[in-house]
Amino acid sequence: MVAAPDSEYVASEEVQLCRLDEVVDDFSGIGFLKIDTQGFEFEVLEGEKNLSRWDFILLEASLVDCYDGAVGYLKICDYLFGRGFVLVDVDPVFRSRDSVLLQADFLFRRV
């Protein structure tokens, strides 16, 4: 991993996956979705077939390869832009020892 070259996996765990729209019932009001799934954010977005229910989406994304197989922030941005969202804020989350931005929280708003 670029961000922490001395790191190593200490364990893995299998978890059952389900689509977001299978566990979220219809609701009224402001819909705010927070996604922080350590490199699996794009798959969570793809699993939500009704993105229009969300007014805001806040997610953490990597600007460099931090997780094996993770989709980069540009693809996530393009995906959400194509579904009626705009980027309204970026908050730096994680930097390398030499101050390179590695991960950030991205806040999107549906227009």
Side-chain angles (χ1 to χ4, degrees):
M1 176 178 4
V2 173
D6 297 329
S7 67
E8 60 185 55
Y9 289 103
V10 294
S12 64
E13 183 178 339
E14 289 190 27
V15 296
Q16 182 179 351
L17 298 179
C18 60
R19 289 183 11 189
L20 183 60
D21 59 1
E22 293 173 349
V23 295
V24 176
D25 291 331
D26 290 332
F27 58 88
S28 61
I30 295 175
F32 187 93
L33 176 62
K34 167 72 165 100
I35 306 171
D36 187 352
T37 53
Q38 304 309 110
F40 207 68
E41 288 77 10
F42 187 75
E43 290 79 1
V44 171
L45 290 171
E46 283 189 313
E48 169 57 285
K49 299 304 178 194
N50 188 13
L51 281 174
S52 64
R53 82 171 88 210
W54 305 107
D55 298 308
F56 295 93
I57 297 175
L58 176 65
L59 59 83
E60 183 179 283
S62 297
L63 284 77
V64 299
D65 292 334
C66 287
Y67 302 106
D68 292 337
V71 170
Y73 76 101
L74 290 176
K75 185 170 181 179
I76 291 171
C77 288
D78 285 343
Y79 185 82
L80 288 171
F81 295 161
R83 283 152 184 81
F85 287 84
V86 294
L87 182 61
V88 294
D89 198 12
V90 178
D91 183 29
V93 172
F94 186 47
R95 294 183 182 274
S96 67
R97 290 182 182 150
D98 58 350
S99 298
V100 173
L101 183 59
L102 303 174
Q103 292 180 319
D105 280 340
F106 292 78
L107 178 62
F108 297 89
R109 179 178 48 86
R110 185 169 47 86
V111 291

